[in-house]
Amino acid sequence: MSDPTRTRKLRLRAALAVAAVTGLGATALTALPAAAAGETVTVQYRQSATGSDQVEPWLKVVNTGTTSVPLSQVKVRYYFKADAGASYTYACSWAVKGCANLTGTFGTLANPTATADRYLEVGFTAGAGSLAPGADTGDMQLRFHRSNWQPLNQSDDYSFGPDRTTYANWSKVTATVGGVPVWGTAPADNEPTPTPTDPTTPPPTGGAALFDDFDYTGHTDPAINAHGWSVRSNSGGPGVPGATWAPENVTFAKEGTNSIMNLRTSTAGTGESTRHTEILTRATKFKNGTYAARVRFSDAPLSGPDGDRVVQTFFTINDLKAPMADDYAEYDFEYLPNGGWGEPANILYTTSWETYRPDPWEAVNAHSEVRASYAGWHDLVVTVDDTAIVYYVDGQEFGRHDSRYLPERPMSINFNQWLIDLAGQTSTTPRAYDQKVDYVLHVKDQVLTPAQVAAKVGAYRSAGTKFEDSVPAAQ
């Protein structure tokens, strides 16, 4: 998809910029790292709302460098102070580049200040194209609001400029190109960290790990049980009341040289006809470290009418011992190809759970989301250490949640696919959705970069290793 020579140049610039930025300290990043001088952008800003309904940062990205900049390499951050207990929803009202080519993800600052503890990170898909020298993106009319539409306070937000009613350069919004900081001044002690494409160190060797290539003959293969997996057959939630969790809908097949696990969920518009699927580890022994899987999401059914509110997942979880118990933990990748939970269309969530109460519903969690299609194969990675939970999709950071959501107890590893309800598509014509999984990896107590994950999986496959589980039982 991209020019290999250009990709190598971008990687070299990123690696050189790491050294350049190391000495910047708290210096404003408007001073461009020399290694990135050929690819420079500035961000222009104007506010479109000063009230308490929603935040409306309107932005333009301008290429002030000497070479064309692929917008898929650009990330822009708008910093704000979250209201107590609030979660936020991003939206794009209009954009010259097309709202479908913009992404919006919320993150948490490592070092909160009086005017910022969260940020909205705006990115671009490949469909946004490139910016020639001197060109800009045109209007990006963005907004976000509290998810429950309660009033919010903009006056204490770091990036908010109440007097900015026309576009002009605004250094309180930052930008990176290919992971290299090139514009703006972040809140104190929160400067964006350069993220070179390639790992600076090889993946750690040794250490306890679970790896499964899902090389099985079917859901009754004795090796599945021997390797610690359970294919769910018991009834209950989540999802459509009266649905069956169907082990026979978990199948395995070769695609090229890899064995692929397929989870098929089907319905004919009634609870009795609905078949959900799930596979999970019987052991709850996984806690800190790195979790990774290669998953293929699908937007459309294999046949029949589309529109069902499907949830396709990769997650870790332990049991809720009592409503609002503080030792509950759950870390989710959840893709909704047809929306649901109040969303009208495709959205990918990453969510870190502290606890919840099922009735009446109350939840304590943090989530990041992107409203875009994620149909196709994706590399999903989540790392958990003593400071944060960090989610990656296809090598790029997707969400970061702070230490309030760290696990107190070990968890299981799960994949499932299910329907939220039957309201998205009311037809009684049969239809089925597939979610595929290539592999799963957990490395205990080691935080790996996505590139290191790929290298470790490659090493397993080069050695012909289909399965390993050296993770000890939970103490």
Side-chain angles (χ1 to χ4, degrees), residues 246-324:
E248 66 274 12
N249 282 8
V250 178
T251 59
F252 303 86
K254 289 288 187 181
E255 291 191 4
T257 59
N258 293 342
S259 178
I260 303 297
M261 177 172 66
N262 190 74
L263 282 68
R264 178 163 296 175
T265 292
S266 59
T267 188
T270 65
E272 294 73 17
S273 68
T274 302
R275 302 288 184 267
H276 295 155
T277 44
E278 181 168 23
I279 185 169
L280 63 153
T281 61
R282 294 193 307 278
T284 52
K285 62 178 183 177
F286 309 99
K287 194 180 177 189
N288 285 14
T290 301
Y291 300 83
R294 183 164 173 78
V295 178
R296 186 183 186 278
F297 298 127
S298 58
D299 278 354
L302 301 175
S303 61
D306 197 1
D308 290 294
R309 293 167 178 167
V310 185
V311 184
Q312 302 172 344
T313 76
F314 165 46
F315 64 104
T316 66
I317 192 171
N318 60 30
D319 58 321
L320 181 72
K321 292 186 175 296
M324 303 302 287

Side-chain angles (χ1 to χ4, degrees), residues 39-109:
E39 293 185 330
T40 310
V41 301
T42 60
V43 181
Q44 297 183 350
Y45 160 83
R46 59 157 294 192
Q47 59 83 6
S48 180
T50 59
S52 62
D53 187 16
Q54 58 186 346
V55 180
E56 295 188 32
W58 290 15
L59 304 172
K60 289 183 182 179
V61 177
V62 184
N63 182 357
T64 53
T66 58
T67 62
S68 182
V69 176
L71 281 170
S72 61
Q73 295 280 325
V74 176
K75 300 286 187 183
V76 176
R77 287 186 178 182
Y78 179 97
Y79 302 89
F80 64 98
K81 182 74 172 179
D83 298 281
S87 63
Y88 293 86
T89 298
Y90 156 85
C92 171
S93 297
W94 185 79
V96 172
K97 290 291 184 181
C99 285
N101 291 319
L102 273 61
T103 62
T105 305
F106 293 101
T108 302
L109 289 182

Side-chain angles (χ1 to χ4, degrees), residues 11 195-203 448-453 455:
R11 290 177 178 176
T195 54
T197 302
D198 292 328
T200 55
T201 58
L448 305 186
T449 67
Q452 289 173 327
V453 166

